[in-house]
Amino acid sequence: MRTITDGARNRGSSPRPARPSLREGDGLPGTLTAVPQADQNPTAPPRPEQLRPAPLEVLAGQLGVEPPAGEAAATGITHDSRAVRPGDIYAALPGARFHGADFATQAAGLGAVAVLTDPSGTERAAATGLPVLTVPDPRRRMGALAARIYGDPGADLLQIGITGTSGKTTTAYLIEGGLRQAAQKAGALTGLIGTVESRIGDVRLKSERTTPEATELQALFAVMRERGVTSVAMEVSSHALVLGRVDGCVFDVAVFNNLSPEHLDFHPDMEDYFQAKRQLFTKVRSRAGVVNFDDEHGFRLISESEVPVTSFSAEGHPDADWRAEGVEVGPHGSTFTAVGPEGVRVEAVAPLPGPFNVANALAALTALVVAGIDPETAVQGIGSVPGVPGRLERVDAGQPYLAVVDYAHKPDAVESVLYAIRKVTEGQVHTVLGCGGDRDPHKRTAMGAALARLSDTAVLTSDNPRTEDPLAILATMLAGAAEVPAYERGTVLLEEDRAAAIEAAVARAEAGDAVLILGKGHELGQDIAGVVRPFDDRQVLREVIEHTMQTEHTMHTMQTEQKEQTEQKEQDPQQSAEPGTPPSTSRTDDQNR
């Protein structure tokens, strides 16, 4: 095993622009997923322009509390005191360190018309002079209240919600592609809500989390409806289900991809994690379900769902309602035949590589068909998706090897991506991976082991260390790598600095190889000791490749010039003489004279 602590910094290459560092404090603040791209709207969460006041008396009746005196009405609701607009209800929620009621005065100063809170916050909220709506669990009532205030906007949208451990983002993009194909025929727009971004038609909005809080989500639905959106694909996390972020939503179709160990810092065990996901398949949350037949938890969910389920199998199981046959996996995507009920057969494309993306594409197709979209229209839309940010996203700077960035940040996902890339790579695979700090520590050993076993070069580095010591995280990953027998593992390198780790992987790449940068995917920042510095794996990887290629080109040019000069000197010996030295006279010339 080889350990590198200084990466590829001293390769003798020319100076490069300064890069984010774990040790340097000069990076600009940012956020992980919310540093906006040039075509993303960087403003606060959107609100509808057409506001119809909802009387507080009616809202109090919905909550089952005593209506306040007067004729006040609400035109919005928010849980963030800084985001209050005139006419809002301010939802003052209890928190781990502070109670939202501590900021009720700020909300009142910004124009709030009432405060929704729990008994422990009532007195502080009442001190503002605003009407107070007190309920035992305001978070649980906030979603339905927001839906009422904004006129139940979700009822006017075809809503498809996707849950599971892996593949939510990709499946959401593929479903949105199918919805868009269908909507174009009717002159309508589509929406997308997820980890990377939200979209209202072609307008892109930055995302702070996988699923927005209930107050922001219902406002977003209202804006979508106002701008002509008729259908939306949305990621639904287990946190969103447990914390009530999707309260007030009833999905037309709920999709379950898979379940593997993740978020075990939030869920006490896998059963709790499963039960959280299962909430999406209850009658209060959805009308129909689409479930992965090949996943053991999906198979269980088929019998436990409260709503009708249509199953799919990328492995081609004959008992599934939809199955994939004739799968052909390629470096840029896969083709397969989707076989459905009553012998329906359509030729489909998964526009991203890897067998797991066949499952994502089949899940999208099944969901679209259940939603009432023609299968041919659905596969056209799915196949037209150009890619998903940070999900097996290729970085092409003209290099003779494959370079890919992916969000894989759990053992199963890391293994799946590595197996997928190995199937389409003739040469060696060089992989960079870190584990996030202040998150589930139990997966770190397994991730280190998976990387060492399946990579020819495994570069262990930092992800978002947050408040943890990066070296302590790396030590745990290295312990996992060390558990892999020496004859089964590739070369293992340690590089605390992520940019240098990417350099180390690129430095080992040759024609026909593959370089994988895993863990952060679409993220645009790196959280180090509470400061988030701009850092985009895709940008850094491209810069390293371009710099390496330029250096190699310069060296090659210099070597070629030196070789040409040497050959020229050998052909003309007089050019090799010292300046000012007369040409030598041959012995034969002396004899002739």
Side-chain angles (χ1 to χ4, degrees):
M1 181 181 298
R2 181 184 176 195
T3 301
I4 292 181
T5 57
D6 196 31
R9 291 191 184 93
N10 300 319
R11 290 205 306 267
S13 56
S14 57
R16 296 180 56 221
R19 65 190 176 214
S21 170
L22 290 168
R23 299 304 185 194
E24 296 171 3
D26 56 355
L28 298 175
T31 57
L32 293 179
T33 59
V35 178
Q37 299 281 18
D39 58 344
Q40 284 182 320
N41 187 341
T43 60
R47 297 279 195 98
E49 296 180 0
Q50 301 172 12
L51 304 174
R52 181 175 298 177
L56 290 186
E57 181 180 2
V58 173
L59 300 177
Q62 177 176 326
L63 294 171
V65 301
E66 188 71 22
E71 299 182 354
T75 54
I77 181 171
T78 182
H79 62 287
D80 185 345
S81 62
R82 300 163 298 182
V84 169
R85 300 184 186 185
D88 277 358
I89 291 178
Y90 169 52
L93 309 177
R97 293 186 297 168
F98 302 102
H99 196 293
D102 295 331
F103 309 100
T105 300
Q106 179 186 24
L110 292 174
V113 296
V115 179
L116 171 69
T117 192
D118 64 354
S120 67
T122 299
E123 184 176 346
R124 282 168 285 179
T128 65
L130 295 175
V132 180
L133 307 173
T134 301
V135 295
D137 189 352
R139 180 178 287 279
R140 286 290 181 190
R141 310 301 298 275
M142 185 168 68
L145 193 67
R148 181 66 175 269
I149 290 172
Y150 292 119
D152 197 15
D156 297 320
L157 302 172
L158 169 63
Q159 300 177 57
I160 301 180
I162 306 98
T163 198
T165 303
S166 301
K168 292 190 299 295
T169 299
T170 297
T171 304
Y173 271 83
L174 298 179
I175 289 174
E176 195 270 341
L179 292 174
R180 182 177 291 238
Q181 186 76 18
Q184 287 175 346
K185 298 179 180 180
L189 299 178
T190 58
L192 174 73
I193 301 173
T195 304
V196 177
E197 63 186 354
S198 292
R199 289 182 182 175
I200 306 173
D202 290 327
V203 176
R204 303 172 63 204
L205 308 170
K206 62 184 182 181
S207 289
E208 298 288 349
R209 54 177 61 88
T210 298
T211 309
E213 272 292 358
T215 54
E216 297 171 352
L217 178 60
Q218 294 299 326
L220 183 55
F221 281 162
V223 173
M224 287 182 174
R225 177 180 62 183
E226 191 173 80
R227 297 185 187 178
V229 170
T230 58
S231 57
V232 59
M234 174 179 164
E235 295 180 55
V236 184
S237 67
S238 61
H239 289 69
L241 290 160
V242 171
L243 298 176
R245 294 177 190 161
V246 290
D247 288 355
C249 299
V250 181
F251 293 91
D252 296 282
V253 183
V255 181
F256 178 89
N257 280 343
N258 49 65
L259 201 72
S260 61
E262 172 74 336
H263 301 307
L264 296 182
D265 53 341
F266 180 78
H267 300 284
D269 50 42
M270 285 297 293
E271 179 61 23
D272 185 82
Y273 188 25
F274 172 77
Q275 292 299 334
K277 298 290 191 182
R278 195 180 75 85
Q279 287 186 36
L280 191 58
F281 296 82
T282 58
K283 293 180 180 179
V284 297
R285 299 281 194 197
S286 62
R287 298 184 177 90
V290 168
V291 176
N292 186 355
F293 189 96
D294 301 327
D295 182 82
E296 61 175 327
H297 290 93
F299 191 78
R300 172 184 171 186
L301 183 58
I302 291 172
S303 60
E304 295 187 13
S305 172
E306 293 181 10
V307 297
V309 166
T310 302
S311 62
F312 66 92
S313 170
E315 297 177 5
H317 200 288
D319 291 338
D321 296 304
W322 281 87
R323 63 184 185 275
E325 293 184 352
V327 178
E328 295 289 340
V329 178
H332 307 302
S334 304
T335 60
F336 63 96
T337 301
V339 181
E342 300 179 0
V344 174
R345 302 176 69 90
V346 288
E347 300 304 314
V349 173
L352 290 88
F356 52 90
N357 279 315
V358 174
N360 292 334
L362 186 58
L365 170 60
T366 305
L368 291 163
V369 172
V370 171
I373 294 174
D374 174 70
E376 290 290 350
T377 299
V379 296
Q380 289 174 18
I382 292 169
S384 69
V385 175
V388 180
R391 272 61 178 177
L392 285 178
E393 184 173 353
R394 297 183 64 192
V395 174
D396 190 352
Q399 75 278 7
Y401 51 85
L402 179 66
V404 173
V405 171
D406 192 80
Y407 190 52
H409 59 283
K410 42 192 170 286
D412 286 357
V414 170
E415 289 183 359
S416 295
V417 169
L418 282 166
Y419 279 126
I421 294 300
R422 278 209 166 278
K423 291 188 70 171
V424 297
T425 302
E426 295 180 359
Q428 295 191 334
V429 175
H430 314 285
T431 314
V432 174
L433 176 68
C435 289
D438 301 334
R439 297 294 186 269
D440 179 12
H442 305 291
K443 64 184 181 182
R444 296 172 184 172
T445 303
M447 290 173 67
L451 202 72
R453 179 180 293 108
L454 298 173
S455 303
D456 296 289
T457 306
V459 188
L460 308 182
T461 190
S462 297
D463 188 279
N464 297 305
R466 300 183 176 90
T467 64
E468 285 195 64
D469 182 348
L471 289 181
I473 299 173
L474 284 174
T476 308
M477 295 183 69
L478 181 60
E483 292 177 359
V484 180
Y487 64 87
E488 289 186 10
R489 68 174 179 247
T491 301
V492 178
L493 311 180
L494 293 183
E495 176 48 72
E496 185 182 351
D497 186 287
R498 191 172 182 89
I502 293 173
E503 288 183 15
V506 169
R508 299 175 73 91
E510 298 180 357
D513 288 357
V515 172
L516 277 70
I517 314 300
L518 305 182
K520 292 173 61 60
H522 62 282
E523 292 181 353
L524 302 175
Q526 189 176 25
D527 189 336
I528 304 168
V531 178
V532 182
R533 300 169 174 83
F535 194 102
D536 185 341
D537 277 353
R538 298 162 295 187
Q539 178 183 345
V540 174
L541 177 58
R542 180 177 295 278
E543 290 175 353
V544 170
I545 292 173
E546 290 175 344
H547 174 73
T548 301
M549 291 177 63
Q550 180 61 44
T551 301
E552 291 175 350
H553 175 72
T554 301
M555 292 178 62
H556 178 72
T557 300
M558 292 174 61
Q559 291 171 354
T560 300
E561 291 176 351
Q562 290 174 355
K563 182 179 179 181
E564 290 176 350
Q565 291 174 1
T566 301
E567 292 176 348
Q568 188 173 7
K569 290 177 181 179
E570 291 175 349
Q571 293 173 4
D572 187 357
Q574 291 188 4
Q575 288 193 8
S576 63
E578 292 294 330
T581 302
S584 61
T585 305
S586 68
R587 191 172 186 178
T588 304
D589 288 339
D590 289 339
Q591 292 175 347
N592 289 338
R593 285 188 296 178

